[in-house]
Amino acid sequence: ETIHKAHPTVSWADLIQLASATAIEMAGGPVIKMKYGRVSVTGPEQCAGPQSRAGFKGNAGLPDAAPGPDGTFGCGAKSPEEHLRNVFGKKMGFTDQDIVALSGAHTIGRVFKERSGACPFGYGEQAASKYTKGNCVVRKDKKSGCGMVGGAAWTKNWLTFDNSYFADYKQAMDDDNLMWLPTDACLHEDPEFKKYFYKYAGDQAAFFQDYASAHKK
């Protein structure tokens, strides 16, 4: 709010994108040469509706954590790899390489029980996983302080942007205090996705380059 008031000619969309690119760079990730110039809407009638894309159910804008009781995802897919390709490929125009690279952003961030319900860990110190408590050192600069505590992360150093999401995925699969969803597992199981998954596991520079390119899109 404060930044937008000081720079009213900059749209909210551009501010959000600037914040995301800056946060990734500050966390140790690549410099993303963003293209700015997005225009803010002036009313809800200018926003895309929840069913604005043919073939998708309502509120299917981002991937689901897991399929529903009938085994299907929100877009109607029967498998997590089909779900990712529907959401990121058909809806947004991303390639398989882009999808895997963007999934690598799970190297930072967390899941909360109160939000998605995809993990048993929630808000606050008492509900945190052992890697998201207030005394955990997770920042790139190795300093203390992680902001809001709680939830569960995909990586142990969840405020450091690197390729550990790919390189250390077996740790996440075997540790109940870390996240690994069906849409993560399919990245190292699907014949096309895994080409890029294992490439990024062994080459952080390649991951950074491809991530920056996909993020800019």
Side-chain angles (χ1 to χ4, degrees):
E1 292 280 353
T2 302
I3 296 174
H4 189 258
K5 287 180 180 178
H7 304 278
T9 59
V10 181
S11 69
W12 276 110
D14 273 356
L15 280 178
I16 292 169
Q17 285 296 336
L18 175 62
S20 69
T22 302
I24 288 167
E25 182 180 348
M26 295 298 292
V31 175
I32 303 172
K33 298 180 180 179
M34 297 296 298
K35 182 177 181 179
Y36 297 103
R38 298 164 184 81
V39 179
S40 295
V41 300
T42 57
E45 69 280 357
Q46 296 175 342
C47 298
Q51 295 178 318
S52 60
R53 301 295 181 97
F56 288 85
K57 296 180 181 179
N59 196 30
L62 289 175
D64 300 324
D70 64 351
T72 63
F73 289 84
C75 66
K78 298 292 186 180
S79 68
E81 56 268 29
E82 181 188 5
H83 181 47
L84 290 181
R85 290 188 174 106
N86 281 348
V87 173
F88 288 116
K90 291 182 179 179
K91 287 193 73 172
M92 304 180 190
F94 288 112
T95 65
D96 281 359
Q97 175 178 298
D98 294 334
I99 292 170
V100 180
L102 289 172
S103 295
H106 282 166
T107 191
I108 57 176
R110 291 164 290 169
V111 177
F112 290 88
K113 177 178 64 177
E114 294 87 349
R115 296 183 187 178
S116 66
C119 79
F121 303 101
Y123 296 136
E125 188 76 20
Q126 296 303 314
S129 76
K130 66 181 182 181
Y131 303 116
T132 60
K133 294 184 179 296
N135 62 351
C136 294
V137 178
V138 295
R139 291 166 43 164
K140 174 67 175 179
D141 59 13
K142 304 303 181 184
K143 294 182 179 180
S144 60
C146 61
M148 186 179 73
V149 301
W154 284 264
T155 65
K156 294 179 181 179
N157 296 321
W158 48 270
L159 284 181
T160 300
F161 197 98
D162 55 22
N163 71 332
S164 60
Y165 169 81
F166 304 104
D168 300 334
Y169 78 95
K170 290 183 179 180
Q171 292 182 18
M173 293 178 69
D174 294 337
D175 192 330
D176 290 340
N177 280 261
L178 292 173
M179 294 300 303
W180 205 251
L181 301 168
T183 45
D184 298 305
C186 76
L187 298 177
H188 54 83
E189 295 172 349
D190 178 82
E192 293 301 317
F193 282 157
K194 71 180 184 181
K195 296 176 184 177
Y196 305 106
F197 187 96
Y198 289 112
K199 175 184 177 181
Y200 300 151
D203 189 340
Q204 180 169 279
F207 165 50
F208 277 17
Q209 179 178 341
D210 291 349
Y211 178 84
S213 176
H215 184 117
K216 184 177 180 179
K217 291 181 179 181

